[in-house]
């Protein structure tokens, strides 16, 4: 059996994912002399790389410019390849940047993109703004559209399909493997924003998707203190296109941020399991509360997406939606303001619980969103579920009182 104290060889394929993620991304840079090694890669902060001689200045055999990434960037990329089951991973300075990088790497002027109506709102802004300005048009398909509905929208200029499943804010799911297969048969590229699944709960590349995008800012970090995004692929064409795009546009990620994210990645499966177990318990509890109309979480048997989720996902993360009984905005605000353990904030995936009301930002153009009540999004953190339930209950008491006009 390999001696892990000295072995920096790749993890064995028969190890469980959680074991592989702990022992991947080791690099020669972790060695001290010939015998000893440190656990984490050293952070090399460098723009300038001093080359050993004139002949090596233009050689492609070794890194010669810090922007292209040194040891710790490479270690994170290796670990993310393991997570995504990918041949290659490109890093961007945020999740939004990764979406931009992925789309601009595969699309050209004159191309059309079909995008899920439930994409993350800044993705829609990118499509309707910068991409449009560069000659790429976007049409949106309903967040729960069938494969046939999507394929019926394909036109002569359609080049790619951008999925997000579950949808941002409203959590509708799509049959990703079927869409990827149909798209491939028509020569179309598929991309997915897989941030909700954190690369763990669903494996897009294995499901036939060409490019898997993730905001590492969320669960890979797990601590709400760093931005980064990744695009994973096993197709040499897209791998090359991403490399060229990163090189030509000058994206760079800091070694300190890569170090922080690699550290987060080591504990990702463990944290995600706890987020998911707590989220399910709280979602089930919420479903039984009189102030709640419905809970938008595919792990609940009441969800129209439950069968798809069971088939394709190995669990849930901590993020889901709650539709409250119809109420004036002040009642929803009173509920949120009353919460003490749930912070009011947008960027999820950290160890702490969060809540926002979503109605001001839900934007659907393919099919109107008919939530039939105020929509709140919860992120269930790593606190004890019983404490979170108690916090939600006292918030719902204030909500109920506000609905009756007694506060
Ligand atoms: C689904 C999804 N994708 C991408 C992003 C963007 O990530 P970042 O904040 O790192 O740009 C977010 C952020 O909230 C998100 O929710």
């Amino acid at each position: 059996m390999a001696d892990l104290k000295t072995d920096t060889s790749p993890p064995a394929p028969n190890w469980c994912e959680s074991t592989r993620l702990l022992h991947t991304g080791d690099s020669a840079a972790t060695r001290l002399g010939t015998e000893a090694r440190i656990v984490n890669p050293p952070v090399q902060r460098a723009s300038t790389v001093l080359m050993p001689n004139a002949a090596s200045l233009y050689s492609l055999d070794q890194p010669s410019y810090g922007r292209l990434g040194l040891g710790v960037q490479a270690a994170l990329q290796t670990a993310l390849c393991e997570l995504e089951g990918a041949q290659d991973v490109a890093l961007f300075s945020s999740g939004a940047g990764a979406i931009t990088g992925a789309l601009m790497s595969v699309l050209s002027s004159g191309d059309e993109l079909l995008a899920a109506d439930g994409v993350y709102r800044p993705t829609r802004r990118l499509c309707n703004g910068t991409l449009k300005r560069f000659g790429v048009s976007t049409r949106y398909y309903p967040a729960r559209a069938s494969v046939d509905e999507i394929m019926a929208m394909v036109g002569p200029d359609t080049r790619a399909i951008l999925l997000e499943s579950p949808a941002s804010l409203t959590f509708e799911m799509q049959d990703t493997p079927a869409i990827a297969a149909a798209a491939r048969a028509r020569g179309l590229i598929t991309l997915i924003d897989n941030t909700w699944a954190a690369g763990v709960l669903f494996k897009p590349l294995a499901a036939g998707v060409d490019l898997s995008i993730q905001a590492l800012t969320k669960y890979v970090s797990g601590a709400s203190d760093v931005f980064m995004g990744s695009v994973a692929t096993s197709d040499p064409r897209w791998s090359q296109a991403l490399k060229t795009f990163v090189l030509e546009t000058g994206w760079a990620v800091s070694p300190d941020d890569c170090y922080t994210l690699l550290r987060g990645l080591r504990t990702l499966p463990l944290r995600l399991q706890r987020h998911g177990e707590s989220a399910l318990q709280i979602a089930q509890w919420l479903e039984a509360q009189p102030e709640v109309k419905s809970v938008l979480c595919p792990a609940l048997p009441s969800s129209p997406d439950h069968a798809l989720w069971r088939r394709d996902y190995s669990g849930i993360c901590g993020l889901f939606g709650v539709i409250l009984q119809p109420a004036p905005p002040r009642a929803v605000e009173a509920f949120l303001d009353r919460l003490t353990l749930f912070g009011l904030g947008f960027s999820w995936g950290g160890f702490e619980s969060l809540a926002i009301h979503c109605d001001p930002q839900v934007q659907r153009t393919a099919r109107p969103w008919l939530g039939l009540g105020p929509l709140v999004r919860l992120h269930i953190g790593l606190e004890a579920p019983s404490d979170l339930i108690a916090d939600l209950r006292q918030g719902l008491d204030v909500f109920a009182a506000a609905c009756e006009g007694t506060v």
Side-chain angles (χ1 to χ4, degrees):
M1 193 184 156
D3 178 359
L4 294 177
K5 292 192 184 66
T6 55
D7 188 8
T8 56
S9 56
N14 60 332
W15 288 348
C16 293
E17 179 168 54
S18 52
T19 310
R20 283 186 280 116
L21 290 179
L22 287 173
H23 293 287
T24 185
D26 295 344
S27 69
T30 59
R31 289 181 190 273
L32 294 178
T34 52
E35 297 286 325
R37 60 181 278 261
I38 51 175
V39 173
N40 295 297
V43 175
Q44 298 157 316
R45 292 193 193 88
S47 54
T48 307
V49 178
L50 298 173
M51 306 305 284
N53 51 46
S56 62
L57 277 170
Y58 294 98
S59 131
L60 299 177
D61 295 344
Q62 49 195 328
S64 60
Y65 204 74
R67 172 155 46 74
L68 307 181
L70 298 169
V72 68
Q73 283 94 336
L76 177 62
Q77 284 169 307
T78 304
L80 288 168
C81 281
E82 185 71 44
L83 174 68
E84 298 270 3
Q87 292 295 319
D88 223 338
V89 163
L91 297 175
F92 294 86
S93 57
S94 69
I99 296 163
T100 306
L103 290 172
M104 292 194 84
S105 295
V106 303
L107 295 169
S108 303
S109 177
D111 287 344
E112 180 189 69
L113 173 71
L114 297 182
D117 209 17
V119 287
Y120 174 56
R121 198 174 176 204
T123 303
R124 183 184 287 267
R125 213 153 46 206
L126 166 75
C127 293
N128 297 349
T130 302
L131 285 187
K132 187 172 174 200
R133 198 156 51 79
F134 281 81
V136 173
S137 58
T138 303
R139 278 188 297 146
Y140 295 91
Y141 62 85
R144 239 181 226 126
S146 67
V147 189
D148 293 345
E149 274 177 276
I150 297 170
M151 289 304 136
M153 287 176 70
V154 173
D157 297 328
T158 308
R159 171 95 173 123
I161 300 176
L162 173 64
L163 302 99
E164 189 175 323
S165 182
S168 267
L169 306 175
T170 48
F171 298 93
E172 300 96 330
M173 293 195 76
Q174 302 174 242
D175 188 342
T176 302
I179 296 168
R184 187 158 292 189
R186 296 279 294 264
L188 303 172
I189 307 157
T190 46
L191 311 93
I192 189 169
D193 182 337
N194 193 41
T195 303
W196 189 87
V200 174
L201 308 172
F202 178 62
K203 303 287 184 185
L205 301 186
V209 177
D210 293 304
L211 295 109
S212 169
I213 307 166
Q214 196 187 158
L216 306 174
T217 310
K218 312 300 181 207
Y219 284 113
V220 174
S221 154
S224 310
D225 58 356
V226 63
F227 281 102
M228 203 175 293
S230 60
V231 185
T233 186
S234 288
D235 187 321
R237 284 173 304 166
W238 310 135
S239 171
Q240 191 50 52
L242 285 160
K243 280 194 178 73
T244 305
F245 179 79
V246 168
L247 186 71
E248 290 178 355
T249 52
W251 289 84
V253 289
S254 103
D256 296 275
D257 290 348
C258 289
Y259 181 91
T260 305
L261 286 161
L262 189 58
R263 193 160 61 175
L265 188 67
R266 304 301 187 196
T267 56
L268 174 66
L270 186 65
R271 286 185 283 108
L272 211 53
Q273 190 183 342
R274 168 68 184 243
H275 281 288
E277 284 167 5
S278 299
L280 185 58
Q281 187 183 335
I282 293 169
Q284 283 165 339
W285 176 83
L286 278 165
E287 260 195 326
Q289 303 311 301
E291 298 83 2
V292 172
K293 199 169 173 64
S294 60
V295 178
L296 311 178
C297 174
L300 294 173
S302 58
S303 164
D305 303 309
H306 187 65
L308 265 186
W309 170 81
R310 274 184 80 91
R311 191 193 67 186
D312 293 341
Y313 285 65
S314 60
I316 55 166
C317 68
L319 197 74
F320 64 85
V322 182
I323 298 181
L324 298 171
Q325 297 292 355
R330 67 176 169 79
V332 183
E333 287 177 6
F335 163 65
L336 293 175
D337 288 341
R338 185 55 187 258
L339 298 174
T340 53
L341 273 176
F342 286 81
L344 307 185
F346 289 96
S347 189
W348 45 281
F351 52 77
E352 77 291 4
S353 291
L354 298 171
I356 55 168
H357 55 106
C358 303
D359 296 309
Q361 57 160 326
V362 177
Q363 204 179 6
R364 300 287 178 260
T365 49
R367 201 162 285 165
W369 163 245
L370 297 173
L372 305 175
L375 173 59
V376 167
R377 188 188 73 183
L378 296 180
H379 177 253
I380 304 303
L382 300 177
E383 300 91 344
S386 55
D387 292 334
L388 295 172
I389 285 174
D391 197 29
L392 289 167
R393 187 57 258 164
Q394 54 97 30
L396 288 173
D397 288 344
V398 173
F399 173 80
C403 288
E404 285 164 15
T406 57
V407 285

